[in-house]
Amino acid sequence: MNVKKIARGDQPVRRVDHEPRPQWAASAGRAYVGAVAVLAGYVVVAVTIGAGFERDLVAAAEREGVAVNALASSTQAEITQDHPVYALLTGLLLFVSPVLLALAARQIRTGVPGRLAQLAWWSALATLVVWWTYVALGLGLFADPENLPPLVRDFDVLTVPLVSALSLLALVSMVFAAEALRDHGVVRRAARATTIVGILLGVVSVVALVATGFEDPVAPIVIVPGGLILGIALLRAQRPARTGQMNGA
């Protein structure tokens, strides 16, 4: 501080510790909220444009006497090709979600580096790999129903384990990210709430999965509550750190 500033009575300024830096906090917050918005968009599309698709799936499952997710891959391929716009649109939406989750984890690893943030990042990458694998298999249903590619012909068997795995991995990544933030004193309350909600939803989802005999998978929608809590908190925390005055010249 120079002599002129001292003469004016200006005081030195310091930043409050543990405030998130605007750049990475804003990016992570937008990514989490964006992932939630994409999943919400998927649900909206499913109940509007996809109403006929879902209706045909249920009717076919009743004819074959199986659960919807256990419907023969060839039958699912025929129904998919009867509703190409819906299948392509939902495939695109599902392709975007894991990218946003990985972006959020990457930004958090940048802002609050450490073991927990690293685990959040690797969990997000694992989520992306499994999620994209599932989406790719789903798009493979556009092939000849009587001559589906390898693995695509097992889409009926793979759906429940793959969807459950990607949902739980995404939840784990979010919990690690929340704990990394809390460990560094960033949005502590929201981070703790995200962890508690994530663990509770994870346990309930796994119990339900087992109780139903693995008939229905753990849906990605399980990350929505935590994604909203953490995303909104990070967006609110993106403001520049508050400043305080130090006593004395």
Side-chain angles (χ1 to χ4, degrees), residues 103-193:
L103 175 61
R106 181 175 180 273
Q107 293 299 323
I108 289 173
R109 185 184 64 167
T110 298
V112 289
R115 185 168 179 271
L116 289 171
Q118 195 67 25
L119 288 172
W121 166 243
W122 286 113
S123 298
L125 284 185
T127 301
L128 187 147
V129 170
V130 178
W131 204 320
W132 279 6
T133 298
Y134 172 72
V135 174
L137 292 176
L139 293 176
L141 294 174
F142 279 101
D144 180 3
E146 300 303 321
N147 189 29
L148 294 173
L151 292 182
V152 177
R153 64 182 63 126
D154 297 318
F155 189 74
D156 52 344
V157 178
L158 295 172
T159 292
V160 171
L162 283 179
V163 174
S164 297
L166 67 87
S167 299
L168 292 174
L169 281 170
L171 199 59
V172 166
S173 175
M174 192 171 292
V175 168
F176 278 138
E179 286 304 292
L181 290 166
R182 193 179 69 83
D183 192 51
H184 282 73
V186 178
V187 293
R188 290 178 61 87
R189 291 181 181 178
R192 174 47 60 90

